[in-house]
Structure formats: C-alpha cells, structure tokens
Amino acid sequence: MEHFTKQQLILLMLLVAFVTSIVTGITTVSLMAQDPQGVTQTINRVVERTIEKVNDANNGASVAAPAKEVTVVVKEEEFVTQAVQEAHDGIVRIKNKKDGALLGLGVIINYDGTIIADRTATVSFREYSGVYQGIAYDIVPDKQDKKAGIITFKFKDGVPPTVNPIRVATADAAAGQSIIAVSGADRDVVSIGIISSLVYESQTSDVLYAIDTTVSQDALLSGTPLMGLDGTLIALKIGKDAQEQDILMPIARIMAALDTLANTQ
C-alpha cells in the first residue's frame, strides 16, 4: 500500500466502505426475517405512536392531526325528558265547551293544526274547546272514521302562531321498545314502560292492529299519545275493539285512516 498514491488510497477506502455497507444491510435483513413477529409489531407500534406525536405537534401545520374518537354518555332520562316536551308541545285537551268537562286528549300532527282524537269519547257534543299550551281555543270537528274510531278537529278561528306538530314515527313499533305515555287532565302525567306485545289484524296478516304495553291503560285518558325515546309518536289510545276494550292504535294505522278520509271526504 506504500506504493499507492494518495488518490488511490482514497478510492480504496471508499470501495471498502461501500462493500461493508452492503454486507451490513444483507445481514440486517436476514436477522429481521428470523426475528419473532412480536418484535416487528413492537417496532411498528413505536413508529405509529411517533407519527401521532409528530402530527399532534404540527397540528397547526399542513399535516392533519389524527382523528380521535370521543365517547358521549347519554342517560335514558334525557331522552324521556325530551320526548315528554315534544308530546307536551303537540297535545290538545279537548273539552265540552258548554260545561268545561274534559273529553279526552288530541294531538296536532301538522302545521295546518289538524288534531287527531278518539271519536268514541268526543263525538256526542255540539261545541268544543281545546286547551293548547295553556290557552283555550274554539275547535270544530272536521272528519271522522267510525270504523277506526278516529275524529279530527281544526281550530275554528285559525291556527295558533305557536302550533308545534308532534313528530310521527316512520318505523314500525317493536316488542321490547321503550314507551312513554303522556296523559293527565290538567297537566302532563308521565308513565314509562315497554311494548310488551304486538297485535296483528289476523294470524296470517303482517298489518299491525294494536300494541300492548306494560303501562296500565287505566292511567291513560282517551287520546293519550305514546312516544318513543326519540320523541316520535308511536301510538294513540283510540277506539275500542269488538270486546269494547280500549285500543292503543299504532300511528301507521292512524295515518292510513287519515289518508283514506282525505280521499273520500
């Protein structure tokens, strides 16, 4: 090597360094292939955590911070409170205008002020008043379905500016579903239970006729709305069956009867 020039020595050193780096790389790859899988996973986790920290540190830069899941705990009583409020805003207490006697409850289902009520409880009187949000209004019968036991009323002197229709459920009722009944002669009285069973028109029919609940019907006035936890109307206490028993009528059946009335009257 003493005969090598300075330039040749530098080239030799570069060659040795190059060969050494190649050998080192081959050796490292071979060892990684022989390592347990847990080692590779551990390295990957370290890299991922490092990236997350870098992203968090550069949150104001162009690199977006990783999305983080946030678990929100909502208590059932919060749903109940909201459902009761929605029912309250849509309930009308129907009275005989002559003596002020309470006949039953009705619910407003649209911004036209259409009130649905139980025909069997309200059909025998000439003049009616409806207490809505604490104010008494004159209301008049509009349409009725004797078979379904439904009657509708409208505000005589125009729809109140504060009218707030109740939201109607779009999904069918389900056994085991939580139910909230809002009744009461002069104030809201709340009962909570579940749908205990579904009653169909016949054993071979898939058309829902009525629902049974764990809430005692003795505590419910005629026309009482039954709400789901999402604040939508599931059923009304309307009409009687062949045995003169009160019916908790599903909202889908009620809306179908209203559609028929709209097309025939």
Side-chain angles (χ1 to χ4, degrees), residues 74-110:
V74 181
K75 296 181 180 179
E76 185 181 58
E77 64 183 28
E78 296 180 29
F79 290 109
V80 173
T81 301
Q82 180 64 31
V84 171
Q85 183 60 53
E86 296 216 19
H88 170 81
D89 291 344
I91 288 177
V92 178
R93 288 176 167 84
I94 302 172
K95 297 183 177 183
N96 178 4
K97 186 177 179 180
K98 183 176 181 179
D99 60 9
L102 179 70
L103 306 177
L105 305 183
V107 294
I108 299 175
I109 59 162
N110 56 37

Side-chain angles (χ1 to χ4, degrees), residues 33 40 94 160 181 213 219 265:
T40 305
I94 302 172
T213 77
Q265 295 187 20

Side-chain angles (χ1 to χ4, degrees), residues 43-54:
I43 294 173
N44 290 337
R45 291 194 192 102
V46 171
V47 172
E48 290 171 357
R49 289 172 183 169
T50 302
I51 291 174
E52 288 180 1
K53 289 181 179 180
V54 170

Side-chain angles (χ1 to χ4, degrees), residues 90-92 94 103-108 115-122 149 166 182-184 217 220-226 233 235-239 246-248 254:
I91 288 177
V92 178
I94 302 172
L103 306 177
L105 305 183
V107 294
I108 299 175
I115 304 166
I116 304 175
D118 183 355
R119 179 183 178 278
T120 60
T122 61
I166 204 163
V182 183
S183 195
Q217 287 208 39
L220 307 181
L221 294 172
S222 171
T224 292
L226 291 93
L233 180 63
L236 289 173
K237 184 177 178 179
I238 284 186
D246 293 326
I247 298 173
L248 297 180
I254 294 171

Side-chain angles (χ1 to χ4, degrees), residues 86 107-110 116 165-171 227 230-234 251-252 255:
E86 296 216 19
V107 294
I108 299 175
I109 59 162
N110 56 37
I116 304 175
I166 204 163
R167 291 188 298 126
V168 174
T170 56
M227 316 288 291
D230 61 353
T232 59
L233 180 63
I234 293 176
I251 190 59
M255 298 308 290

Side-chain angles (χ1 to χ4, degrees), residues 173-177 194-200 208 210-214 248 250:
Q177 180 178 352
I194 64 169
I195 297 176
S196 54
S197 65
L198 304 176
V199 181
Y200 293 92
L208 192 60
I211 65 172
D212 288 330
T213 77
T214 56
L248 297 180

